[in-house]
């Protein structure tokens, strides 16, 4: 028999003068937006509305910054008190939990039924973006005289990851999706161009518009869940494109000013190191964690984000990592394991019973 608990949080901010940072003014530079300006000054993106209120007369009609103009940054409330109330529930057997099944056709006929194993991630919200999609297949090459593309393999790994998170009770948004593909176990995943952006929006051909579309989608959902869900994370998956001879291990990017993003990347990276040590003890895992704050999604999205490069689609050794469905399943599982570690680390302050 397993015991489960509901844990409720009440967050109270203290707005004392001594707990606030001094007001600051910054000059908008080329390429700056509200999100990037806040991030570059170590201000949480939850202060967007406050920034707009402070600077309404200095913004364009669509809240765009004006090059060279000075903008007031919001005052950060430093002090906070967390009150934790723990309520014990009746015991629930694992057998009864495994009868909770979600049917989701997006995952394909062989994977549409998802057994909800437990509610470990009940209070977590994940936004999953697989790179490219729609009119843009990303990097392409040929395998066995057939065209293969980055977006199809990144999407397959993303679906496998989403399924595992849902099985742990998480709320999951698949931002780029294809209603026809589902999880596929073939080596060669057929290239198509019918992916849409959540909930069902046509993906633009223009690259900047595509990135703006998925950024706005994530940020709107983030604000919708803000408060109700304290833990929200964005996971972006890509398959890199380099010279044919360049073999790379899975590596990770995060924003330079996001402690949560860095921690997220490091937890997944550590999981990969452990898995490689176990399953491939005769080789050294060389995947890295680094900052890449200039990437549009990393720079402009609100949730802490980890940007994952799964391999080089043009390299024969890396192709083995993504063409074999069992390896794609392993990639999804290792990312999932890292996400579980990260979630647990953020809940270590919860009172244990």
């Amino acid at each position: 028999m397993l015991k489960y608990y509901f844990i409720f949080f009440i967050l109270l901010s203290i707005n004392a003068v001594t707990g606030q940072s001094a007001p600051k003014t910054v000059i908008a530079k080329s390429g700056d937006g509200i999100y990037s300006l806040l991030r570059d000054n170590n201000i949480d993106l939850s202060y967007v509305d406050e920034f707009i209120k402070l600077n309404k007369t200095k913004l364009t009609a669509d809240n765009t910054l004006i090059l060279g103009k000075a903008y007031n940054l919001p005052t950060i409330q430093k002090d906070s008190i967390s009150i934790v109330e723990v309520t014990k529930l009746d015991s629930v057997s694992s057998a009864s939990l495994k009868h909770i099944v979600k049917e989701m056709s997006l995952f394909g006929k062989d994977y549409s039924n998802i057994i909800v194993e437990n509610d470990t991630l009940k209070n977590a919200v994940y936004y999953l973006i697989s790179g490219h999609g729609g009119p843009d297949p990303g990097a392409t090459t040929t395998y066995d005289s057939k065209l293969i593309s980055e977006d199809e393999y990144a999407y397959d790994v993303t679906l496998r990851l989403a399924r595992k998170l849902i099985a742990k009770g998480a709320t999951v948004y698949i931002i780029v999706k294809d209603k026809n593909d589902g999880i596929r176990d073939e080596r060669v995943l057929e290239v198509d161009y019918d992916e849409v952006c959540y909930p069902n929006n046509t993906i633009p051909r223009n690259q900047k518009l595509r990135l703006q579309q998925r950024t706005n989608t994530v940020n709107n959902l983030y604000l919708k869940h803000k408060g109700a869900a304290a833990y929200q994370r964005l996971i972006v998956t890509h398959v890199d494109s380099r010279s044919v001879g360049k073999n790379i291990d899975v590596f990770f990017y995060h924003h330079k000013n996001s402690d949560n993003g860095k921690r997220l990347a490091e937890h997944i990276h550590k999981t990969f190191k452990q898995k490689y040590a176990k399953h491939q003890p005769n080789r050294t895992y060389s995947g890295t964690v680094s900052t890449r704050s200039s990437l549009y999604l990393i720079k402009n999205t609100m949730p802490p984000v980890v940007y994952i490069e799964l391999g080089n689609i043009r390299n024969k050794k890396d192709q083995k990592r993504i063409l074999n469905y069992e390896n794609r399943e392993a990639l999804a599982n290792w990312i999932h394991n890292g996400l579980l570690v990260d979630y647990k680390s953020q809940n270590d302050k919860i009172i244990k019973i």
Side-chain angles (χ1 to χ4, degrees), residues 12 31 110-111 151 162 174 205 231 332:
L12 303 178
D110 294 331
Y111 292 91
D151 68 325
I174 302 170
R205 289 187 175 276
Y231 184 94

Side-chain angles (χ1 to χ4, degrees), residues 272-304:
F272 269 71
K273 286 181 69 175
Q274 293 170 343
K275 295 297 184 181
Y276 267 83
K278 177 180 179 181
H279 297 288
Q280 298 188 46
N282 297 322
R283 69 178 290 261
T284 301
Y285 170 67
S286 60
T288 58
V289 173
S290 60
T291 61
R292 191 79 184 276
S293 306
S294 61
L295 289 175
Y296 192 95
L297 284 172
I298 294 180
K299 184 177 182 179
N300 293 290
T301 48
M302 290 183 172

